[in-house]
Amino acid sequence: MDGTLGQMMRVVIGAGVETFAATAGRALEDERLPPAEHRPWPLPREPWVMAQSWQHALFAHWPLPPAQLRPFVPAGVTLDTFEGQAWLGITAFVVAGARIRGVPAVPGISTFAEVNLRTYVTTEDKPGVLFLSLDAASVAAVLGARAWFRLPYYFTAGDAQSRGGRMRFVSRREHPGGPSARFSARYGAAASRRLPGGAELTRWLLERYCLYCGADGTLLRAEIHHQPWPVQAAEATIEENTLPNALGLRVDDSTALLHFASGVDAVIWPPRVVDGTRRAA
């Protein structure tokens, strides 16, 4: 996206949505949010701007040496590690009911398949997610998130369907000019009650309540709120996975740490520049 055009879209989209969310949207919405006792820091005071449900989620994770992931970490945050290991994750799920505050979900464009490639970072005692790529089967979501949240979204031909109690997920990136990447898997909840990696690592990987993005010399953070993930062990067959390869990373799909969650309802706040990271004019 051209720099000037991108800046114009950010101003128009951001200002319009935030103004609506703070006025008409706030008047039309119930102010009650899910309990927040599980959060590591308080909820933002300003109104949230987006709501969506994340359903039928597969989490696949691999430990990697920190040196392999540090080149992707923007200035202003530190690569987060667990017992000295950095982690690369893939999350495949269905976005349902995506909408702006005060506006009903639009049939046909508010539900779509999405898969993201991520790692974990922290700053100011707020550990969060750093997305390395996001593939969504929604042109509107891709354009909006790229322009406003500055996230590395790509349009994909994607589909997710439940068959016999298991999910069949397919994503094939078709973004103009974007690197080729595919992901497909069959997955569902496992019978085992034991969480892969243990409860402490599972919480560390999944319970993250903000996202970070480096853009134009600044660091952006967007706050997120939802109930704790109803996480279980997963059974999954990863049939194709070239998302890491598109960034020069390599993982062994057969060694993935696998979790499944039926879903959560989430609200998202607008991206804000993290103090001290704004580029000098």
Side-chain angles (χ1 to χ4, degrees), residues 112-197:
F112 50 89
E114 180 172 323
V115 59
N116 61 61
L117 181 69
R118 57 205 271 173
T119 190
Y120 303 102
V121 296
T122 187
T123 189
E124 297 181 339
D125 294 324
K126 289 188 174 182
V129 175
L130 177 69
F131 291 110
L132 306 182
S133 66
L134 306 97
D135 290 67
S138 167
V139 174
V142 170
L143 293 178
R146 274 184 167 261
W148 186 19
F149 281 77
R150 321 286 282 278
L151 292 170
Y153 260 95
Y154 297 94
F155 175 71
T156 183
D159 184 49
Q161 296 184 10
S162 178
R163 299 176 180 176
R166 291 175 65 83
M167 292 298 296
R168 172 76 169 108
F169 188 99
V170 178
S171 174
R172 183 180 67 255
R173 188 178 295 171
E174 294 186 346
H175 196 94
S180 175
R182 298 186 179 210
F183 181 83
S184 62
R186 299 177 186 270
Y187 62 89
S192 172
R193 293 188 177 184
R194 184 175 181 179
L195 293 174

Side-chain angles (χ1 to χ4, degrees), residues 18 39-44 46-49 74-78 121-131 148-151 208-215 217-225 267-278:
E18 290 188 46
R39 291 176 56 88
W41 62 87
L43 287 166
E46 64 182 325
W48 55 267
V49 295
V77 289
T78 302
V121 296
T122 187
T123 189
E124 297 181 339
D125 294 324
K126 289 188 174 182
V129 175
L130 177 69
F131 291 110
W148 186 19
F149 281 77
R150 321 286 282 278
L151 292 170
R208 303 262 166 169
Y209 294 94
C210 68
L211 64 87
Y212 290 97
C213 177
T218 61
L219 179 69
L220 302 176
R221 176 169 55 219
E223 301 272 359
I224 300 166
H225 181 57
V267 292
I268 306 167
W269 279 262
R272 294 288 183 255
V273 175
V274 177
D275 291 344
T277 67
R278 189 183 300 275

Side-chain angles (χ1 to χ4, degrees), residues 1 3-19 144 146-150:
M1 180 181 294
T4 302
L5 177 59
Q7 185 176 10
M8 290 175 61
M9 287 186 66
R10 284 192 290 276
V11 171
V12 171
I13 294 175
V17 172
E18 290 188 46
T19 299
R146 274 184 167 261
W148 186 19
F149 281 77
R150 321 286 282 278

Side-chain angles (χ1 to χ4, degrees), residues 78-89:
T78 302
L79 183 67
D80 209 356
T81 60
F82 186 89
E83 297 182 351
Q85 289 277 19
W87 286 81
L88 181 72

Side-chain angles (χ1 to χ4, degrees), residues 58-63 90 183-185 196 234-241 244 250-258:
L58 171 68
F59 297 89
H61 283 97
W62 298 264
I90 287 177
F183 181 83
S184 62
E235 292 179 348
T237 300
I238 299 176
E239 300 167 330
E240 187 173 21
N241 176 23
R250 297 290 184 271
V251 297
D252 181 352
D253 293 336
S254 67
T255 66
L257 200 69
L258 300 171

